[in-house]
Every structure is written in structure tokens, then in C-alpha cells.
Amino acid sequence: MARTRVAVVAFDGIRPFHLSVPCAVFGETAGDEASPFDLRVCAAEPGELRSQAGFGIVARHGLRTLAWADIIVVPSWRDPGEAPPTPLVAALRRAHARGALVVGLCLGAFVLAEAGLLDGRRATTHWRWAARFAARYPQVRIEPGVLYVDEGDVLTSAGTAAGIDCCLHLLRRRLGAEAANRMARTLVVPPHRQGSQAQYIEQPVLATARDTPLTKTLDWATRHLGEAHSLDSLAMRAAMSRRSFTRHFRQHTGTTVGRWLLAQRLALAQRLLETTAQPIERVAERAGFGTALSMRQHFGAMLHTTPSLYRREFRGG
């Protein structure tokens, strides 16, 4: 199978972490197998680049690499008040026009918007700069409170660590839930956080606290997704009031019980479709959708495909 070609755009003043995110997800392997991606870092400007941390970066490739790539990642931008270089904007437009998938992580969304790739679409960026983004690009439907937005051929993410979520989501789209889970384990990060999850959660419960009534309840729920669950039933299992459970759940996950359950059920269904030959009806039951029709409706709304097509795609036929 031909490897997917990925170009990551580096620029003067880039933060090392921003550059490292797509390089880690698409440039490393999650085991002994060969990487399914051919990754190249390309410089948006000539000469040696200076990182925000003070060390230099020498990229072997330039903007011509964007014409080669299947996926282009703009991992951020140095200043939301500075327009990106015209050659970079033009190269992104040409690449997108010929069918490349373009990703703008964090302030990289400003670069994609400057290129006109987000006109009439939904997008997100770092919450701190969302208001400035909305004022500058009124033709873009900004969603400032989410982790990432997938518009098919264009993806954008919120700041810093949300870039990992966005890249893992794209990896999941390309190679399936199991591949994304393996990479997440390699990076020691959560395997899936849905795009609609909040960017900023005040007073978060520590993700490592595994012995609280809430975390024990969530662990139990993920092992019993085939059963019916509700806010009230989960609160009762955690021996918490409905109000207290709702507050702590939101602080811990950044989302609602309904959305969290749907994301967990979709992830389980994806894994079962990829790794088993069980009938669609059985997968729907095990994942807690009840019927194949219900699962098909949720796949269409959230993943823009059907369970049958999803299974065929990841089985190569």
C-alpha cells in the first residue's frame, strides 16, 4: 500500500511543541510495523528558521513539497496579527484545489482562513484568539469552545494539546480506531476526545485519579456499553446526587453525559467493525445502540458514513 504523504509547515518563530505534534503522530510508528505515512517538514521561509525557544531549525524541503503532499499540516502561526507569507497562502490554495487535505492546528487556522479555505465553513482556534479570528474572518463560522472541527477536506483545532486530539482524529479517519489507539498509547495520551469537548475546563478533576466514585463509574460504564445508561442511573451508581454528578462529570470530561456516551459507543462500534466479523446488528447491540438503524443514523451524523461502508473501508474491500 502506498504511504500517505504528509507535509508539515515550519516557520520562523515556531514553538517546538507545535511542530512536534504532527511529527509525532504521523512521523513515528506505534510498533514494529512500517509507518503508513511519509512525512516531510517544509520551510515556509528561506534560510534557517529560529524556534521560539531559541534553537535553529533547518528544513530540507520548501513550499514545493506542498504540491507533493496528500495531507498538509500548518501546526500554528507565530502571530495572529501578522499575515502569513503570500507564497505560503498561494501554495495552500493550489494544494487544496487539487485535492489535498489541509489541517490548521491552533493559530494555523488563521493561515487557512487567510487562504480562503475556511470561507462558509465551521472552524475553531485557540480560545484566547477566537474573538479576533471572528472579527477578521466573518465569513467563517467560528466555534470557539470545541477541541477541533472536521469539515472533510479541511480540519482546524484549538490550542496546544488539542492539536494532538485533532491529529489522532485524522489518524482514526485514515487508519481506524485501533491504529489511533496504538498511537495514543505510544504517546501516553487519551485515545479519543471528541471534537465537541470543551477547550477549557475550570477546576478539572485529575485524569489520573482512578479511585473516585466518578472515575470508577465511568470505567464501569465503558465496560458495559451494551446496557442502557442515563444521567440518573450513573449518578445513582456513583452514590452522588444528580446535580453533584453533573457538575463533576462536566469538570472531568468537558462534555455532557449524553455526548460522552455517544462518543464511547461510536468508538466501540468502530473497533468491533474493524476487528471482528460480527453482524452489524450484533455490533449495534454490543455498543449500546439497540438497533442497526439507530447505529447507522449516528454513524451518518457523526462520521459521515455507514457501518457497512466503514467496515469495508478498513478491510480494503
Side-chain angles (χ1 to χ4, degrees):
M1 181 183 297
R3 295 200 294 170
T4 300
R5 296 170 294 191
V6 181
V8 179
V9 178
F11 50 84
D12 199 49
I14 193 169
R15 292 179 180 270
F17 180 83
H18 290 151
L19 180 60
S20 73
V21 166
C23 293
V25 174
F26 301 114
E28 299 182 9
T29 61
D32 296 330
E33 70 278 7
S35 173
F37 299 100
D38 182 357
L39 182 140
R40 299 180 184 179
V41 176
C42 59
E45 300 149 306
E48 181 179 283
L49 306 176
R50 296 164 299 168
S51 74
Q52 185 270 343
F55 58 81
I57 301 171
V58 178
R60 295 172 52 196
H61 306 281
L63 289 178
R64 290 182 180 180
T65 301
L66 272 60
W68 159 89
D70 303 308
I71 298 173
I72 298 167
V73 182
V74 183
S76 187
W77 184 237
R78 57 179 165 250
D79 184 350
E82 177 185 344
T86 299
L88 171 59
V89 170
L92 288 171
R93 288 173 179 160
R94 290 192 299 268
H96 182 259
R98 65 166 174 79
L101 188 155
V102 184
V103 182
L105 305 178
C106 193
L107 297 184
F110 280 79
V111 181
L112 271 59
E114 196 68 27
L117 305 186
L118 301 178
D119 290 358
R121 297 172 181 255
R122 298 177 304 120
T124 193
T125 189
H126 193 295
W127 61 269
R128 190 183 301 276
W129 305 105
R132 179 181 292 194
F133 184 98
R136 182 177 301 172
Y137 306 109
Q139 67 275 28
V140 182
R141 301 199 302 275
I142 186 70
E143 296 190 359
V146 302
L147 291 177
Y148 55 86
V149 173
D150 183 346
E151 285 286 275
D153 57 347
V154 175
L155 287 80
T156 52
S157 87
T160 318
I164 299 176
D165 297 298
C166 184
C167 289
L168 286 174
H169 167 75
L170 181 53
L171 181 65
R172 185 178 299 104
R173 256 184 55 179
R174 289 279 173 150
L175 301 178
E178 281 300 307
N181 289 344
R182 288 196 300 272
M183 179 55 68
R185 286 194 294 269
T186 298
L187 300 177
V188 198
V189 297
H192 177 58
R193 293 199 296 170
Q194 62 193 83
S196 60
Q197 184 167 323
Q199 288 191 32
Y200 181 71
I201 307 172
E202 292 188 5
Q203 299 179 335
V205 177
L206 292 178
T208 54
R210 307 295 294 177
D211 58 349
T212 68
L214 174 65
T215 54
K216 286 182 178 179
T217 298
L218 298 189
D219 287 344
W220 175 86
T222 57
R223 296 193 303 271
H224 297 83
L225 289 171
E227 302 178 18
H229 302 299
S230 67
L231 170 58
D232 289 328
S233 68
L234 293 177
M236 183 179 299
R237 185 173 187 85
M240 300 168 68
S241 70
R242 194 175 197 270
R243 177 179 296 180
S244 178
F245 184 86
T246 300
R247 183 177 70 254
H248 284 88
F249 186 93
R250 185 78 186 197
Q251 290 175 339
H252 183 74
T253 68
T255 190
T256 65
V257 170
R259 288 180 176 177
W260 181 85
L261 281 170
L262 177 58
Q264 299 301 314
R265 286 179 167 139
L266 284 170
L268 175 58
Q270 287 176 288
R271 292 195 298 274
L272 293 174
L273 291 169
E274 293 171 27
T275 60
T276 76
Q278 294 179 9
I280 298 295
E281 292 76 11
R282 178 56 179 154
V283 172
E285 291 174 2
R286 288 188 60 185
F289 289 106
T291 66
L293 174 60
S294 175
M295 184 169 73
R296 185 163 59 248
Q297 291 172 337
H298 285 297
F299 262 66
M302 302 300 294
L303 303 175
H304 309 294
T305 188
T306 67
S308 297
L309 286 174
Y310 184 89
R311 168 172 275 169
R312 285 201 294 271
E313 178 181 357
F314 289 102
R315 294 200 167 188

